[in-house]
Amino acid sequence: MGNEQEDKEMEMGSIVVEKVGGRSSVVHCFSRYPVKFIIPKKVGSSRTDVVWVYALNYGGGIVSGDQILCKFSVGDCCTMVLTTQGSTKVYKSVGSKCSKQLLEARVGSNALLAIIPDPVTCFSTARYYQKQVFNVSSNSNLVIVDWITSGRHESGEKWDFDLYRSINNIFLEDGEPLFLDTMSLEKEKIGCIHELVQDYQVIAMILLLGPKLQFVQNLVQDKVKGIMSEQLQHPSGALSHKRNEAGYFISKPSLMASCSVFGTKKTSLVVRVAAMTTESVYKFLQEELAPLESLLGVPPYH
């Protein structure tokens, strides 16, 4: 009972999408400060059956101590996109308070949910915890892009936050875990984050799950394998050169990517990217997710 009451107090937004007149439609939409949802009437071709939702934060970001819970339900055979209009800023921590953002989503049979936000940008000393939990059926479809930049470069901040933790969990209808993933960067435990990631300014995870996305998974998997193969065969064109302490040139890829399959039938894909610039990750996402235009009405990140 206590947890239910706590969830109710934290809940800042909820959306339910169901079929109405044969089309994906928002049948319930609730939001309160500091969250606001914008739902355009039309995005892309009218032939595409999809609902786009833009999530905004009043004040342009997440304030120290904010605790935000949003819930989404995508009914059978429906399609919904959740995105943002810019990076999610996490402001400086006050008194070691941690900002929390929780997302819970149910994705129905043959439904598609795409979570494709701009990156999270944590200010100096910020403490941020994000958890996303998805409940899916055996033929649900899910796209997740979860990424973070090193901070406000124009202010001289690079990996200068105190805590960033992002959790993505996917469960089947019977409660069986399908994918459990945590990324944690905590200054208190690992020391200087900048020394750990060195010249890389962006870390990203892209997840593709479900039969509708099989064609995209195959294309992305081939592209990632090609990137790594090219860097091994022709390193000079893909690498950033820098002198080490002894004066010798050492080389690092400007964008690194790896991929792996998961799931009972190995039909789902997770891609991990580390890059030296935000622009290069936007370009990667634009190119690799462009085939989703047929499902989402417009290509993501264009």
Side-chain angles (χ1 to χ4, degrees), residues 155-174:
S155 300
E157 298 177 4
K158 291 185 179 180
W159 305 111
D160 203 25
F161 50 84
D162 288 348
L163 169 68
Y164 173 83
R165 183 171 294 131
S166 179
I167 299 172
N168 288 284
N169 292 342
I170 305 174
F171 296 93
L172 293 170
E173 289 172 309
D174 60 3

Side-chain angles (χ1 to χ4, degrees), residues 35 57 62 66-70 88 99-103 120 128-132:
V35 173
N57 288 93
I62 299 174
D66 274 354
Q67 296 193 36
I68 299 169
L69 169 63
C70 291
T88 298
S99 304
K100 295 182 179 181
Q101 187 156 243
L102 311 177
L103 181 150
V120 171
Y128 180 65
Y129 171 94
Q130 171 184 286
K131 185 174 183 179
Q132 302 186 136

Side-chain angles (χ1 to χ4, degrees), residues 36-104:
K36 181 180 181 181
F37 295 130
I38 296 177
I39 305 173
K41 290 185 177 179
K42 180 183 175 184
V43 176
S45 170
S46 59
R47 295 189 299 271
T48 308
D49 179 29
V50 59
V51 170
W52 277 72
V53 178
Y54 290 84
L56 311 178
N57 288 93
Y58 288 99
I62 299 174
V63 176
S64 175
D66 274 354
Q67 296 193 36
I68 299 169
L69 169 63
C70 291
K71 297 182 179 182
F72 303 94
S73 176
V74 185
D76 295 350
C77 302
C78 293
T79 300
M80 173 183 151
V81 178
L82 180 65
T83 187
T84 55
Q85 290 187 317
S87 65
T88 298
K89 300 174 182 63
V90 182
Y91 295 118
K92 293 186 175 187
S93 175
V94 177
S96 297
K97 289 182 179 178
C98 184
S99 304
K100 295 182 179 181
Q101 187 156 243
L102 311 177
L103 181 150
E104 296 178 3

Side-chain angles (χ1 to χ4, degrees), residues 105-276:
R106 184 193 71 83
V107 187
S109 174
N110 201 37
L112 167 60
L113 173 61
I115 309 286
I116 50 172
D118 294 287
V120 171
T121 298
C122 292
F123 288 23
S124 174
T125 74
R127 299 180 63 82
Y128 180 65
Y129 171 94
Q130 171 184 286
K131 185 174 183 179
Q132 302 186 136
V133 179
F134 303 90
N135 290 282
V136 302
S137 66
S138 59
N139 64 345
S140 296
N141 303 274
L142 184 62
V143 179
I144 303 172
V145 177
D146 184 15
W147 53 320
I148 179 176
T149 72
S150 59
R152 297 182 298 171
H153 295 185
E154 68 279 5
S155 300
E157 298 177 4
K158 291 185 179 180
W159 305 111
D160 203 25
F161 50 84
D162 288 348
L163 169 68
Y164 173 83
R165 183 171 294 131
S166 179
I167 299 172
N168 288 284
N169 292 342
I170 305 174
F171 296 93
L172 293 170
E173 289 172 309
D174 60 3
E176 180 185 351
L178 182 62
F179 180 80
L180 304 174
D181 184 81
T182 300
M183 185 175 76
S184 184
L185 297 171
E186 187 171 2
K187 189 179 292 184
E188 189 176 311
K189 290 187 177 180
I190 63 176
C192 179
I193 299 171
H194 185 255
E195 289 182 6
L196 178 69
V197 298
Q198 299 185 16
D199 294 329
Y200 294 98
Q201 307 301 325
V202 186
I203 299 173
M205 182 195 79
I206 302 102
L207 182 144
L208 301 166
L209 176 150
K212 286 185 178 181
L213 303 173
Q214 193 64 59
F215 75 106
V216 185
Q217 293 175 30
N218 296 337
L219 292 172
V220 172
Q221 199 167 8
D222 290 344
K223 178 60 180 289
V224 170
K225 289 178 180 177
I227 290 174
M228 302 316 294
S229 176
E230 183 179 350
Q231 289 174 351
L232 290 171
Q233 293 176 19
H234 308 287
S236 59
L239 302 186
S240 172
H241 299 278
K242 184 179 179 181
R243 287 184 185 273
N244 65 8
E245 292 179 356
Y248 297 102
F249 278 106
I250 55 176
S251 300
K252 298 177 184 176
S254 57
L255 185 146
M256 295 192 301
S258 65
C259 62
S260 58
V261 294
F262 68 95
T264 53
K265 297 181 180 179
K266 303 295 183 184
T267 56
S268 302
L269 182 72
V270 61
V271 179
R272 302 186 190 276
V273 175
M276 293 186 179

